């Protein structure tokens, strides 16, 4: 995803929010493959969100297949998920999660309140004029709003190969520039989210966290992961948003394919270079009584 849309009130951003939601609907075509390809979150992040509470009640917005929700449950949380894609919701339920089919904007809390509200890779789907206020109304005093996600930043040689392939396969894509620095882009996006939360005066201090680590992907694992991102998702229809499959883009340029192989690869297994992934987190700890709407 090239930007973090939806955190302003302009018509352009709302159009991008609508397009992003359409893109997200493509992920449910194969929920099992999505779940298998996506990485989990660092234990340190999960523990910091839970912050030592024994059984915190947690609302997970846009829970998808339940990757973050399962980790939060394992950390002791009593988790309720909200998911607008019925296919993703059903998959999450098959993992033993409690999931309600709805967007966050339309979701009815039915007088429930929560210790923690989370949004893992999903806050950019939420209407910016509704999201912060609704989160504040369902948080208990002293509650937390945790917004976080992955940033995939491959090494320069892989980034160059992908940019070359994008120029061939989808020249109008924002991913055709090899000089992109996703970490910088997302950092700015999360800083913007933090500012939008601050100006509401509904919350306490807003902190932006970052966790860095390296993970090595095999070529097929990397291609499967790309299919779960906004840069390369299966096209739903000729009239819908223009997306493509990872194999389509990468097979467009023979030179690109060679960059995905190393001399250390086992037979018939091409190794993708390491991918640097950062967790960018906006973490909200409301002061006592400030997690409620002001009148």
């Amino acid at each position: 995803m090239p930007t973090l849309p939806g955190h302003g009130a302009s018509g352009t951003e709302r159009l991008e929010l609508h397009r992003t939601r359409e893109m997200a609907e493509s992920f449910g075509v194969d929920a099992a493959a999505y779940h298998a390809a996506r990485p989990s979150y660092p234990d340190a992040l999960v523990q910091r969100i839970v912050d030592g509470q024994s059984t915190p009640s947690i609302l997970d917005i846009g829970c998808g297949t339940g990757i973050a929700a399962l980790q939060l449950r394992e950390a002791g949380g009593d988790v309720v998920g909200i998911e607008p894609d019925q296919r993703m919701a059903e998959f999450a339920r098959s993992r033993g999660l409690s999931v309600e089919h709805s967007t966050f904007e339309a979701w009815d809390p039915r007088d429930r309140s929560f210790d923690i509200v989370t949004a893992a890779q999903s806050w950019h789907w939420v209407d910016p004029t509704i999201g912060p206020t609704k989160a504040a109304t369902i948080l208990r005093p002293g509650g937390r709003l945790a917004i976080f996600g992955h940033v995939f930043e491959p090494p320069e040689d892989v980034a160059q190969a992908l940019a070359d392939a994008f120029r061939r396969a989808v020249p109008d894509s924002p991913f055709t520039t090899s000089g992109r620095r996703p970490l910088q882009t997302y950092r700015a996006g999360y800083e913007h989210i933090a500012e939008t939360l601050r100006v509401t005066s509904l919350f306490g201090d807003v902190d932006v966290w970052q966790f860095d680590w390296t993970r090595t992907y095999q070529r097929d694992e990397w291609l499967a992961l790309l299919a779960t991102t906004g840069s390369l998702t299966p096209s739903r229809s000729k009239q819908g948003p223009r997306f493509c499959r990872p194999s389509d883009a990468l097979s467009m340029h023979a030179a690109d394919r060679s960059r995905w192989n190393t001399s250390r690869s086992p037979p018939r297994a091409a190794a993708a270079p390491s991918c640097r992934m950062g967790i960018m987190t906006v973490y909200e700890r409301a002061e006592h009584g400030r997690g409620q709407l002001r009148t």
Side-chain angles (χ1 to χ4, degrees):
M1 191 174 301
T3 60
L4 295 172
H7 297 285
S10 72
T12 299
E13 286 179 314
R14 290 189 178 282
L15 178 62
E16 184 65 15
L17 174 63
H18 175 71
R19 181 184 181 278
T20 302
R21 283 176 170 170
E22 286 187 326
M23 182 188 299
E25 291 175 4
S26 69
F27 299 146
V29 171
D30 192 341
Y34 179 96
H35 188 83
R38 298 294 296 189
S40 58
Y41 296 95
D43 289 339
L45 169 67
V46 175
Q47 290 301 322
R48 192 166 183 179
I49 292 171
V50 175
D51 194 28
Q53 298 183 65
S54 57
T55 54
S57 58
I58 303 174
L59 178 72
D60 189 26
I61 300 170
C63 70
T65 58
I67 294 172
L70 287 167
Q71 290 184 267
L72 291 164
R73 186 179 69 178
E74 290 171 1
D78 181 9
V79 185
V80 174
I82 304 172
E83 173 53 44
D85 188 311
Q86 183 65 52
R87 299 160 299 185
M88 302 282 265
E90 289 175 356
F91 184 92
R93 291 186 191 113
S94 75
R95 312 292 290 184
L97 291 167
S98 173
V99 182
E100 299 176 18
H101 177 220
S102 177
T103 62
F104 182 52
E105 295 90 332
W107 176 72
D108 182 2
R110 302 196 302 277
D111 296 324
R112 288 172 289 179
S113 60
F114 298 85
D115 298 310
I116 302 169
V117 173
T118 59
Q121 301 275 131
S122 62
W123 192 253
H124 51 277
W125 299 347
V126 177
D127 189 312
T129 64
I130 298 175
T133 300
K134 190 163 187 175
T137 61
I138 61 176
L139 276 171
R140 293 169 183 159
R144 306 167 192 150
L145 171 62
I147 299 168
F148 55 98
H150 293 294
V151 179
F152 302 104
E153 185 164 274
E156 182 56 35
D157 57 343
V158 176
Q160 181 63 57
L162 285 170
D164 291 347
F166 272 112
R167 281 192 287 271
R168 295 286 299 267
V170 277
D172 56 347
S173 167
F175 296 88
T176 57
T177 303
S178 62
R180 290 180 66 255
R181 289 293 178 265
L183 192 60
Q184 296 176 10
T185 300
Y186 274 72
R187 179 79 190 193
Y190 277 92
E191 292 286 2
H192 181 54
I193 295 172
E195 186 57 29
T196 64
L197 294 175
R198 293 185 187 111
V199 299
T200 66
S201 298
L202 294 170
F203 303 98
D205 294 336
V206 182
D207 301 319
V208 179
W209 301 344
Q210 180 175 324
F211 294 78
D212 292 323
W213 74 98
T214 298
R215 172 173 173 174
T216 299
Y217 282 84
Q218 295 298 314
R219 180 180 183 277
D220 288 346
E221 293 174 331
W222 180 252
L223 293 178
L225 176 65
L226 287 179
T228 70
T229 69
S231 58
L232 290 168
T233 55
S235 179
R236 293 184 294 118
S237 68
K238 292 182 179 179
Q239 292 75 33
R242 186 183 181 192
F243 308 136
C244 67
R245 293 181 296 274
S247 56
D248 293 338
L250 293 177
S251 65
M252 290 293 291
H253 202 308
D256 290 341
R257 292 200 302 274
S258 68
R259 301 186 194 188
W260 291 81
N261 294 278
T262 71
S263 59
R264 294 172 293 178
S265 300
R268 297 187 179 183
S274 299
C275 171
R276 181 169 180 266
M277 299 186 294
I279 293 291
M280 310 294 293
T281 305
V282 175
Y283 177 82
E284 186 58 32
R285 182 191 293 275
E287 300 296 338
H288 182 74
R290 294 185 65 192
Q292 306 298 317
L293 275 176
R294 291 182 174 180
T295 58

